[in-house]
Amino acid sequence: MSFIERVDHLLKEKGEEFSGVVLITQNGKELYGAALGYANRPWSVKNRMDTRFRVASVSKMFTAIATLKLIELGKFAFDTSITTVLNLPESSIPETVTVYHLLTMTSGIADWFDESGDWEETWRTFIRNNPIYLLRRNEDYLPLFANSPPVAPVGEKHRYNNASYILLGLLIERVSGMSYFDYIRQHIFEPAQMTRSDFVPLESVESEIAEGYVPVMDEQGAQTSWKKNIYLVTPEAAADGGATSTAHDLYRFAIALREGRLLSAEMTQAMLTPKVLEDDEPYRGYTWKYGYGNFFLTDQAVEGQDAPIVRWGHTGEEDGISCRLYCYPQQDVDVVVLGNQSGCAVELAWDLHDLVVKNV
């Protein structure tokens, strides 16, 4: 079978396990595009290639680029202390935490939500004790972590941390004089021609946005129905994630980044270079690394800084949301998977990864 036939067969095998869109391009040309499942289940409105999806943490890449842009402009530096700029002397955030530590998630600070352990149970407890409908702006998150003790020494290692990107969002607002959202619109969405991307609250009545769905399970673990995710995720986007976009817009974003339309050549290279080890344990023959709002897979067989990059990009997971933006420099292939069912992009993205690496 051809590559396209293999992808088509894979998606047919997934059936109702996946709801969303898949876009695969190579050398600037579309290889494959498909929309599956429903944007609105009650009215049986199907997803389309131009359907807009909440992309969760994929939009951390926007925050990282905005931060690098302001470093270019001399507004602050990688070694700038975040507590000094934001005037947080009474917080538990160490004065030695720098912009670099936040970008690479090596700050060791407490997160606004602890994703370790039993994620689902911890999240249920969190939303019972914290009215998430009040989380509307980046500063709304500060009380959830600013006075919590650090979980590790500054710079010790990478630990995935949403609070780091909340602080970067506050930094962007402080030094630019603009709201975080307007800064991203003006300096990323506009130059990348992401005309269908924005920051849309869950309760807003906006056109062509897929609703998020979470499976309802019985006591035996069998799925019985679906429910909307409206009480399970934060109502608005923040600097740590939650923008709304389309598959083609995210592809345009990847192209704009590579072509240097968002950053200088030096900062573009920095954005596309891994900085720290993300996980000590190799997976499927790959070493996981993290950069500036960017996950990297490198070949485990080649050690050191010269290890070839197999893939870069970011994941996005929330209840009712499952997204991937993956770019494969060796094959010049970009893969965008936007899903509106919990976890539906996880296995699919790895299956597509294997097809790209082995068959394109």
Side-chain angles (χ1 to χ4, degrees):
M1 288 190 291
S2 69
F3 172 77
I4 293 174
E5 289 172 333
R6 287 174 182 269
V7 174
D8 203 49
H9 179 71
L10 172 63
L11 286 171
K12 288 179 180 177
E13 282 187 326
K14 295 295 180 184
E16 293 187 1
E17 292 178 19
F18 178 76
S19 175
V21 300
V22 174
L23 174 66
I24 304 174
T25 63
Q26 184 177 37
N27 301 318
K29 297 181 180 180
E30 185 170 325
L31 285 181
Y32 186 87
L36 301 94
Y38 294 98
N40 181 289
R41 283 183 168 273
W43 290 94
S44 299
V45 178
K46 293 184 177 181
N47 282 316
R48 306 188 317 233
M49 285 304 298
D50 63 348
T51 297
R52 304 161 73 195
F53 293 81
R54 182 154 154 158
V55 300
S57 287
V58 171
S59 52
K60 280 186 172 70
M61 300 189 79
F62 308 151
T63 302
I65 290 173
T67 303
L68 298 183
K69 185 73 174 177
L70 290 165
I71 292 175
E72 282 183 349
L73 296 173
K75 300 296 185 180
F76 50 83
F78 284 110
D79 62 359
T80 295
S81 167
I82 192 64
T83 58
T84 300
V85 177
L86 296 183
N87 191 25
L88 299 172
E90 303 302 321
S91 76
S92 297
I93 301 169
E95 293 182 4
T96 52
V97 171
T98 66
V99 172
Y100 175 85
H101 294 131
L102 299 177
L103 283 166
T104 57
M105 299 188 185
T106 55
S107 67
I109 65 172
D111 209 343
W112 67 263
F113 169 69
D114 182 8
E115 295 189 4
S116 63
D118 187 338
W119 187 93
E120 291 186 357
E121 180 56 36
T122 304
W123 179 248
R124 283 194 291 266
T125 300
F126 176 84
I127 62 178
R128 280 196 296 268
N129 296 327
N130 297 275
I132 58 172
Y133 59 86
L134 296 178
L135 299 177
R136 298 286 177 174
R137 299 169 300 176
N138 287 306
E139 57 261 40
D140 295 334
Y141 291 80
L142 267 178
L144 299 176
F145 68 89
N147 295 311
S148 299
V151 298
V154 177
E156 179 186 61
K157 63 178 295 185
H158 170 93
R159 288 176 173 82
Y160 196 80
N161 186 282
N162 290 293
S164 291
Y165 275 68
I166 294 293
L167 290 173
L168 290 174
L170 292 170
L171 176 64
I172 291 165
E173 293 180 333
R174 175 66 61 90
V175 303
S176 71
M178 302 171 63
S179 76
Y180 165 81
F181 308 106
D182 284 342
Y183 194 88
I184 300 300
R185 291 181 183 112
Q186 181 175 325
H187 293 279
I188 296 178
F189 292 168
E190 288 184 16
Q193 299 180 323
M194 299 169 67
T195 59
R196 290 178 59 76
S197 299
D198 206 350
F199 300 95
V200 183
L202 285 182
E203 69 269 25
S204 291
V205 180
E206 298 278 349
S207 62
E208 300 169 326
I209 296 179
E211 295 183 330
Y213 295 103
V214 179
V216 176
M217 317 298 283
D218 63 19
E219 294 181 355
Q220 286 70 44
Q223 183 179 342
T224 59
S225 60
W226 295 95
K227 63 181 177 182
K228 296 179 183 180
N229 66 346
I230 55 174
Y231 300 119
L232 299 171
V233 297
T234 53
E236 294 200 42
D240 64 342
T244 298
S245 192
T246 67
H248 283 97
D249 266 13
L250 288 182
Y251 167 63
R252 293 185 190 101
F253 164 74
I255 293 294
L257 174 57
R258 286 197 295 264
E259 291 182 347
R261 287 188 275 127
L262 303 179
L263 294 166
S264 67
E266 179 182 357
M267 283 300 187
T268 298
Q269 183 61 36
M271 183 69 187
L272 299 178
T273 301
K275 303 299 178 184
V276 296
L277 189 66
E278 192 269 338
D279 197 327
D280 295 331
E281 294 296 325
Y283 182 69
R284 295 172 55 137
Y286 301 115
T287 299
W288 285 92
K289 297 179 181 180
Y290 201 74
Y292 303 145
N294 203 353
F295 281 110
F296 295 86
L297 285 189
T298 61
D299 190 341
Q300 182 192 353
V302 181
E303 297 181 357
Q305 295 296 321
D306 296 328
I309 295 172
V310 177
R311 185 183 81 195
W312 60 266
H314 217 289
T315 62
E317 292 288 335
E318 292 182 292
D319 283 322
I321 299 155
S322 190
C323 303
R324 301 291 185 273
L325 170 60
Y326 285 156
C327 303
Y328 295 83
Q330 297 178 42
Q331 292 83 11
D332 197 11
V333 165
D334 298 313
V335 176
V336 183
V337 181
L338 303 182
N340 62 322
Q341 292 176 180
S342 296
C344 68
V346 179
E347 291 186 7
L348 174 60
W350 275 113
D351 291 337
L352 292 172
H353 169 92
D354 291 337
L355 289 178
V356 169
V357 171
K358 298 175 182 178
N359 293 283
V360 174

